Amino acid sequence: MANFIDYYKILGLSKDATSDDIKKAYRKLARKFHPDLNPNDTEAHKKFQQINEANEVLSDAEKRKKYDQYGENWKHADQFEQAQHQRSAGRPSAEDYSGFSGFNNEGGDFSDFFEQLFGQRHSSRQQKTNVRYRGEDYNAELKQKLSDAYTTRKEIITVNGNNIRITIPAGIEGGQVIKLKGYGGPGINGGPNGDLYIKFVMDNDTNLNRTGNDLSMTVDVPLYTAILGGEVTIDTLGGKIKLKIPPETLNGTKTRLKGKGFPVYKEEGKYGDLFITYNIKLPTGLSEEEKNLFRQLANLNK
Amino acid sequence: MEENELIPADDFCSYHQVSWAFITSLEDAGIIEIKRVEQQHFIQSEQLKELEKLVRLHTELEINSEGIAAIAHLLQRMNELHRELLTVRQKLQFYEH
């Protein structure tokens, strides 16, 4: 069973609120939480939904009466409902101020409480609230491995049963959205279709950190190589790279490899940089001979 | 999709029950562009999304066209800031690691 919802509380009103109070309270809150004014804010969308539902009930004299009458005992309202349906059948709608349309598909339904008390929303209102000419936009998320995003790939995705072949350019970023024109909901009255928005979610499967087109990583360098100089080979997304380590390289030294970072989105052949931080590894588990040699070194520096 | 590139402004207005004056006021504010072909007015389909959003704000919240123009600019600014925030967060993450 659905939980009781206090519609007065949602609109910040007391039970003796006049219809004018309700209208005012509703509009005030609607201006604050309207989805078109709160993009990317699902909390606001939810809140807006509740306000709408509260208004739908309290601004309609009959619904409000029923709601007030049964209140928290609404579960026994069945008989009342039957009588109500008969009476309201031929009645022209007294209220032409309909609810809002700002939602996308998600969260467009009223609560279970509402539906159990009043039945499905009246279709006349439902249609009126769906004010769009252009079809709805669809939103989808696509998970990508960072190592996959290094190259341009083709992928087939399924949206509402349709297979769509898409090309994902190298260098795409987490949070980035690509638009597929016309793959959203159908237009109404000859209006154009909506679009499909695909948001990429990056899953870092590497030991690299990515900032825009730049990559960074820590590379371990053996003590002897750091002191005497030498070479270290590292694995990058673009293949192996040999690094020249100059003699007396200090721990934490940073170096930049130009053009060895991530590919720049939609700019073929262009790459960011790779930033490397050297981590000098001290040898452990030294043999007696090694320890002696270090002692000699230590004595030299006394 | 191509055949829908231009939407007759009359169709749009009657479907949404908004006045032509509202549409032109948005054009005056530089928010949308109206194409004129042989004395007929058309709206480009790529502007429909933004336009329908503003129409909803206009009809549902009863905001006049001056208010809508201000909101449109603020929303755009908010979008830019939101994007900037995401980039900065990403950069910050790099230093926190």
Side-chain angles (χ1 to χ4, degrees):
Chain A
M1 265 298 186
N3 288 326
F4 174 75
I5 297 174
D6 189 341
Y7 290 135
Y8 290 102
K9 201 172 155 196
I10 288 172
L11 294 184
L13 296 166
S14 61
K15 283 206 168 161
D16 54 6
T18 65
S19 64
D20 210 41
D21 293 339
I22 291 166
K23 208 177 208 171
K24 264 193 203 151
Y26 172 54
R27 292 196 180 170
K28 189 174 143 197
L29 290 168
R31 285 201 175 115
K32 202 165 154 189
F33 294 106
H34 195 285
D36 286 325
L37 294 177
N38 296 278
N40 311 316
D41 186 346
T42 47
E43 270 310 302
H45 292 207
K46 236 185 265 168
K47 190 101 190 172
F48 184 71
Q49 171 73 18
Q50 292 171 350
I51 299 162
N52 250 340
E53 184 174 318
N55 180 61
E56 174 98 12
V57 174
L58 299 184
S59 69
D60 180 310
E62 282 186 27
K63 283 204 183 88
R64 185 178 177 189
K65 198 172 146 198
K66 182 175 176 183
Y67 176 76
D68 286 346
Q69 197 167 359
Y70 289 93
E72 295 184 47
N73 299 316
W74 62 277
K75 285 168 196 169
H76 307 295
D78 297 11
Q79 288 175 337
F80 181 89
E81 189 167 337
Q82 275 175 9
Q84 200 62 25
H85 270 304
Q86 281 158 11
R87 221 182 315 155
S88 66
R91 190 181 64 95
S93 173
E95 269 280 340
D96 63 347
Y97 190 77
S98 69
F100 285 121
S101 64
F103 337 99
N104 280 330
N105 228 357
E106 81 264 13
D109 299 324
F110 278 2
S111 68
D112 291 346
F113 170 72
F114 180 93
E115 294 199 346
Q116 284 176 27
L117 190 56
F118 300 108
Q120 294 281 325
R121 291 178 79 181
H122 291 181
S123 58
S124 61
R125 280 185 176 226
Q126 181 90 54
Q127 272 164 17
K128 218 181 162 192
T129 58
N130 201 5
V131 190
R132 313 177 166 265
Y133 177 65
R134 180 179 175 276
E136 235 173 285
D137 287 332
Y138 292 160
N139 290 294
E141 277 192 356
L142 200 58
K143 223 176 178 176
Q144 291 285 293
K145 282 187 181 152
L146 187 64
S147 55
D148 284 343
Y150 188 78
T151 49
T152 298
R153 278 158 319 107
K154 291 194 194 312
E155 217 166 276
I156 293 173
I157 56 168
T158 309
V159 178
N160 290 344
N162 294 316
N163 287 334
I164 306 168
R165 195 188 297 265
I166 57 170
T167 302
I168 305 169
I172 196 137
E173 281 191 63
Q176 197 172 336
V177 177
I178 63 172
K179 180 173 96 173
L180 297 182
K181 204 167 178 289
Y183 281 100
I188 298 156
N189 284 358
N193 287 357
D195 301 325
L196 169 63
Y197 288 88
I198 300 175
K199 187 176 174 184
F200 289 88
V201 181
M202 241 1 118
D203 174 25
N204 192 348
D205 58 336
T206 70
N207 58 349
L208 297 154
N209 274 317
R210 179 181 178 192
T211 311
N213 303 313
D214 294 331
L215 294 173
S216 58
M217 70 188 293
T218 304
V219 172
D220 288 341
V221 179
L223 177 71
Y224 306 107
T225 314
I227 290 174
L228 304 172
E231 277 178 355
V232 169
T233 306
I234 57 164
D235 270 324
T236 68
L237 292 169
K240 285 191 193 306
I241 297 178
K242 229 180 240 174
L243 297 173
K244 268 213 165 76
I245 312 289
E248 295 177 20
T249 293
L250 297 178
N251 189 37
T253 301
K254 286 183 199 310
T255 179
R256 181 173 76 157
L257 301 182
K258 249 186 124 80
K260 295 293 179 190
F262 222 67
V264 181
Y265 184 68
K266 284 192 170 171
E267 285 185 49
E268 219 175 310
K270 244 179 127 178
Y271 290 81
D273 301 334
L274 173 62
F275 290 86
I276 287 171
T277 307
Y278 292 124
N279 177 40
I280 314 295
K281 284 289 246 199
L282 293 183
T284 50
L286 297 177
S287 66
E288 207 39 51
E289 193 189 351
E290 285 172 318
K291 279 184 196 163
N292 273 330
L293 288 169
F294 272 112
R295 276 185 205 111
Q296 283 182 34
L297 273 175
N299 285 331
L300 271 179
N301 281 296
K302 264 184 184 166
Chain B
M1 282 162 277
E2 289 301 314
E3 70 269 22
N4 278 332
E5 288 300 45
L6 289 179
I7 314 293
D10 287 348
D11 289 4
F12 183 85
C13 287
S14 66
Y15 180 81
H16 278 296
Q17 299 178 351
V18 289
S19 67
W20 171 240
F22 175 70
I23 307 290
T24 52
S25 68
L26 293 184
E27 186 192 27
D28 292 344
I31 297 167
I32 58 156
E33 217 182 296
I34 297 168
K35 291 262 177 222
R36 291 176 170 79
V37 184
E38 293 172 359
Q39 309 223 318
Q40 283 235 44
H41 299 115
F42 295 94
I43 295 159
Q44 294 173 69
S45 79
E46 69 219 34
Q47 298 196 332
L48 263 192
K49 186 182 178 182
E50 179 71 7
L51 183 56
E52 289 199 315
K53 179 174 81 187
L54 300 178
V55 165
R56 283 194 296 268
L57 291 173
H58 175 56
T59 54
E60 295 173 359
L61 298 184
E62 296 171 15
I63 299 170
N64 65 17
S65 54
E66 289 84 357
I68 294 288
I71 287 171
H73 289 306
L74 286 175
L75 278 178
Q76 201 190 345
R77 183 111 184 78
M78 207 167 101
N79 256 333
E80 286 165 9
L81 288 173
H82 184 71
R83 237 172 306 167
E84 199 178 318
L85 178 71
L86 290 181
T87 320
V88 171
R89 264 197 202 146
Q90 203 186 26
K91 282 201 177 134
L92 185 64
Q93 228 175 20
F94 169 71
Y95 290 105
E96 282 177 342
H97 272 300

